[in-house]
Amino acid sequence: MKLKKVIASTLAAAMVLSLIGCGSSGSEAPGTEQSNHTTEEAPEPAGEDTANETNETEVAPEETEAASEAPDTITVMVPPVTGTYVDDMNEWIKEYQKDHPNITVNVIATSWDEHTSKLTTMALANEAPDITEVSYGAVGTFVEMGVAVNIKDYLSEERLADYDQNALDYMTLEDTLYGLPLYITIQALGGNKEMLENAGADVEKIQTQGWTYDEFLKVIEAGTTEDCYGFVFANSGATAADFVRIFGVSAGITADFTPDLEYIYTSDNMLTLLETVEDMVSSGYMPNYAVEAGQRLVMLETGETMITGKAMPLFENNVKTNIAGLEDGSAAEGTIEMEYVFLPVPTMENVSESTYGVVDGLIALKNANSTEEHLKNVCEFMDFISSGERAAMVDNAVYLSAVCESGRKAQEAFELDQSELNAAATERAIGKVVAPPSGITPEMSANAKLIMDETIVPKFQALLAGEATAQAVYDEICKAAHDLFGEENCASGWVQ
């Protein structure tokens, strides 16, 4: 059934109500994501390997008889936020240059795999791009480097009022706004409806009421066969952070810090989460090896897994598009007919059900060429590509409502081909997003990301491979956290 996406839709309303008053915290965004065959929030182009390839495109300003301002060049570095994002960006540049012929924009296209490391290297060398895509959890890192820009210094209150305050809050640290949001997305699980029903799952009940971890465990046990896992989650390299954050809500982990601003991964909640992974891997219900981001969706499409993560509502379209490719040979090899269902993350005992929500956006950065006039040009262009029809194009591609008024207005005529139950499950999940606590400092955010990247992610890989126990991984996390935050600032026991 086709559901029209409109400004006053209950989906947008639920998003606003659920996230009002949020703060900022760390997260790997969709930005560690890859995909094959279809367009998702963070896809790799089908049939291409872009992991180590950088494409630079320069669009020169159109000739004009007179320019009202001095010539200026802006550099934008972005991963494939959508499958056509770079191509769209080049068209937006041409549109912008009609009124700003003095502005030249260079676009550096990165893959999701290389984006963060390349960005960090450039920033440390004082060669950061003027504008780049980040997940809100990475903002603190660039603030700590001293390269992040307070965009309120360069954009009017009238322009900033176009954006939803709840989304702006994610890009804010200590009352300073460092970026503009592209979307708030929910990330949970997806599955093969027929396989789930054959494994004893009441899919409609799960989508409308949620499910417990014990129920989930019984279903993936029944759905595991010699050639099909019950559950697969992308967890290769940096995407291990996605599992911890997205599936972590099952253990009551909704942000890097508790409401009292204690680091949460030293709590019993984290130990319990690690123990569930240990049990699922040892039982054979999920792989004992790292799964690439693009691989896990293909495994769902080819019947190699019954449930997959991370998953988003837009995967319904991905699956349909892939199945349609059976006719022209563009489908993934081994593709089966299936109906995709968007599922909530199960909930453990003594935990309130929640959904992991993330904000990705664009931030402005300083470099060796930055001047006040240049930064104003940078922020004005960043506002242009984050709003209006540009925002609508991005959010339509990822099955989301825009987070700015001008974007939602542009979405009014857009029709989303989504099943009624998946649409209802999406709306329900958005209503259960728990915003990060306010009061997180750039240093806290940067340290949380450091522990995630240098301790949690590699130790999680060892846990999957059977090279470390859940307890050993937990102990290493506690040691790293106590060193960085101090034991008194780390959570202990079970966090409600």
Side-chain angles (χ1 to χ4, degrees):
M1 116 177 241
K2 291 191 176 181
L3 303 173
K4 184 164 281 192
K5 183 184 279 187
V6 296
I7 294 177
S9 69
T10 53
L11 184 65
M15 182 182 296
V16 173
L17 290 173
S18 65
L19 291 169
I20 287 293
C22 64
S24 303
S25 184
S27 165
E28 288 297 335
T32 52
E33 173 92 41
Q34 295 182 36
S35 177
N36 297 331
H37 312 294
T38 49
T39 300
E40 62 175 86
E41 178 186 358
E44 286 287 343
E48 298 182 18
D49 180 7
T50 59
N52 297 303
E53 183 176 315
T54 300
N55 173 36
E56 298 196 12
T57 305
E58 179 171 330
V59 181
E62 299 176 1
E63 292 295 328
T64 182
E65 294 184 1
S68 59
E69 300 177 16
D72 197 6
T73 299
I74 296 171
T75 301
V76 179
M77 188 168 83
V78 289
V81 175
T82 69
T84 61
Y85 193 60
V86 173
D87 291 337
D88 293 337
M89 182 74 69
N90 288 327
E91 292 302 312
W92 300 337
I93 291 167
K94 293 176 183 177
E95 180 183 352
Y96 190 75
Q97 287 170 336
K98 292 178 182 178
D99 294 326
H100 304 82
N102 59 306
I103 300 296
T104 298
V105 182
N106 297 333
V107 179
I108 303 174
T110 61
S111 71
W112 284 116
D113 278 348
E114 70 173 341
H115 181 70
T116 299
S117 60
K118 184 178 180 68
L119 177 58
T120 301
T121 299
M122 292 174 69
L124 289 171
N126 203 23
E127 299 174 350
D130 298 304
I131 299 171
T132 192
E133 188 274 352
V134 298
S135 178
Y136 76 96
V139 173
T141 298
F142 298 101
V143 175
E144 285 292 287
M145 287 184 188
V147 297
V149 175
N150 179 2
I151 64 174
K152 285 187 177 181
D153 290 342
Y154 304 100
L155 292 179
S156 68
E157 291 185 6
E158 180 181 3
R159 280 306 313 138
L160 292 176
D162 183 38
Y163 298 88
D164 295 349
Q165 186 60 51
N166 60 313
L168 288 176
D169 285 346
Y170 273 86
M171 309 300 290
T172 301
L173 288 174
E174 293 187 315
D175 297 323
T176 303
L177 179 63
Y178 293 105
L180 297 175
L182 291 176
Y183 45 68
I184 297 176
T185 186
I186 51 171
Q187 301 172 6
L189 307 178
N192 180 315
K193 184 178 181 181
E194 182 178 0
M195 283 186 179
L196 283 159
E197 290 176 340
N198 290 340
D202 185 337
V203 175
E204 182 173 349
K205 182 179 179 182
I206 292 169
Q207 287 188 298
T208 57
Q209 300 180 31
W211 51 343
T212 67
Y213 179 75
D214 288 341
E215 291 170 333
F216 169 80
L217 196 60
K218 290 177 182 178
V219 168
I220 64 171
E221 178 182 8
T224 300
T225 66
E226 290 185 1
D227 55 2
C228 178
Y229 288 105
F231 178 46
V232 165
F233 204 103
N235 49 37
S236 174
T239 58
D242 289 333
F243 181 92
V244 172
R245 293 191 171 106
I246 297 167
F247 203 81
V249 301
S250 67
I253 298 172
T254 59
D256 291 341
F257 298 93
T258 70
D260 295 329
L261 299 182
E262 292 181 331
Y263 184 68
I264 200 168
Y265 296 112
T266 55
S267 66
D268 286 352
N269 305 57
M270 182 59 172
L271 177 59
T272 300
L273 179 66
L274 294 170
E275 289 172 343
T276 65
V277 174
E278 189 173 38
D279 290 342
M280 287 189 288
V281 170
S282 64
S283 299
Y285 305 152
M286 64 182 289
N288 62 352
Y289 56 86
V291 175
E292 298 288 342
Q295 182 184 2
R296 58 79 167 83
L297 182 57
V298 174
M299 292 179 73
L300 181 69
E301 294 169 333
T302 57
E304 296 174 76
T305 185
M306 178 180 63
I307 299 174
T308 190
K310 67 179 179 183
M312 291 163 279
L314 66 98
F315 283 11
E316 179 178 349
N317 183 60
N318 293 15
V319 170
K320 289 177 181 176
T321 302
N322 184 59
I323 292 173
L326 289 170
E327 295 184 4
D328 61 15
S330 63
E333 183 178 355
T335 290
I336 61 173
E337 294 280 350
M338 62 163 287
E339 181 179 348
Y340 174 84
V341 287
F342 180 66
L343 304 169
V345 173
T347 304
M348 296 180 188
E349 190 176 356
N350 297 322
V351 171
S352 297
E353 185 183 1
S354 61
T355 303
Y356 180 70
V358 65
V359 169
D360 267 23
L362 299 176
I363 61 172
L365 298 177
K366 299 174 187 175
N367 53 51
N369 299 318
S370 296
T371 64
E372 287 298 298
E373 182 179 357
H374 175 68
L375 289 175
K376 182 171 178 58
N377 290 336
V378 166
C379 290
E380 288 180 352
F381 178 70
M382 183 171 70
D383 174 38
F384 176 78
I385 59 177
S386 302
S387 61
E389 292 182 3
R390 283 75 54 195
M393 288 177 67
V394 170
D395 292 316
N396 288 349
V398 295
Y399 276 38
L400 295 169
S401 293
V403 290
C404 59
E405 186 67 20
S406 60
R408 284 194 293 273
K409 185 174 182 179
Q411 285 183 309
E412 286 184 351
F414 178 70
E415 291 185 345
L416 187 65
D417 187 15
Q418 187 178 26
S419 79
E420 187 172 353
L421 278 177
N422 282 345
T426 298
E427 181 179 344
R428 179 178 181 275
I430 288 175
K432 293 188 176 296
V433 171
V434 177
S438 58
I440 297 171
T441 67
E443 181 181 10
M444 291 167 65
S445 178
N447 284 340
K449 188 176 187 304
L450 183 67
I451 296 174
M452 181 63 74
D453 294 344
E454 297 189 1
T455 302
I456 297 178
V457 166
K459 296 302 178 182
F460 188 88
Q461 305 301 329
L463 177 64
L464 287 176
E467 298 170 354
T469 65
Q471 184 66 55
V473 173
Y474 174 74
D475 291 343
E476 288 292 328
I477 295 170
C478 289
K479 181 179 183 301
H482 292 167
D483 288 344
L484 274 178
F485 293 111
E487 188 171 354
E488 69 278 7
N489 295 314
C490 295
S492 61
W494 186 266
V495 176
Q496 292 291 345

